[in-house]
Amino acid sequence: MNETRRDRDAEGRARNARPRDGLGRPLPYGTPGVERQPEGIVRTPAQTLREAQRLLDAGMPFHAHEVFEDAWKSGPEDERELWRGLAQLAVGLTHSARGNTAGGARLLRRGAGALAPFAGSGPYGIEVSGLCDWARELADRVESGPMVEAAAEAPRLRA
């Protein structure tokens, strides 16, 4: 790979081909990394939640965020904030685990705010109130403490 040229996917779109670690950080070319999530996958809400939970439990919130992002981009308009909020929680956990406490806390709170309107309905069995509480509590902790371990902090998406 010529590192002075921009990486492209098969369709010619700019796409970084560097391997990534479990938290989505780029690694040097040629280093073994974690398999990336395929993009643009249309899943049912149940499939989305199952796959995202698996990734969160494995300490891979960056990859879970990509699963939520697919749902956010392909889902019905009235659910986009739900999936976007879940993606923000996953990215907030990612930043917190990387040591970016300010960015992590900000995204955790932003995600909780996006999810809050769904608290009464609990769509797809998502434990919205519990997730909002988890996100706000974790945001407070990461602002005043050390980095967190992503797998140990993984939230439960459903009750």
Side-chain angles (χ1 to χ4, degrees), residues 33 66 134 155:
E66 292 178 331
W134 166 84

Side-chain angles (χ1 to χ4, degrees), residues 49-117:
L49 292 167
R50 236 185 343 268
E51 180 63 5
Q53 188 69 66
R54 182 186 72 75
L55 292 164
L56 289 166
D57 292 345
M60 299 171 58
F62 177 82
H63 302 277
H65 129 269
E66 292 178 331
V67 170
F68 288 134
E69 193 171 274
D70 284 341
W72 156 26
K73 291 178 178 180
S74 67
E77 184 68 36
D78 62 339
E79 293 181 2
R80 293 216 171 136
E81 281 300 299
L82 170 72
W83 301 113
R84 188 170 75 120
L86 290 168
Q88 288 170 329
L89 294 185
V91 172
L93 179 55
T94 300
H95 282 289
S96 299
R98 289 178 177 176
N100 177 0
T101 57
R106 185 172 39 255
L107 280 161
L108 287 163
R109 289 190 180 104
R110 188 179 300 154
L115 290 177

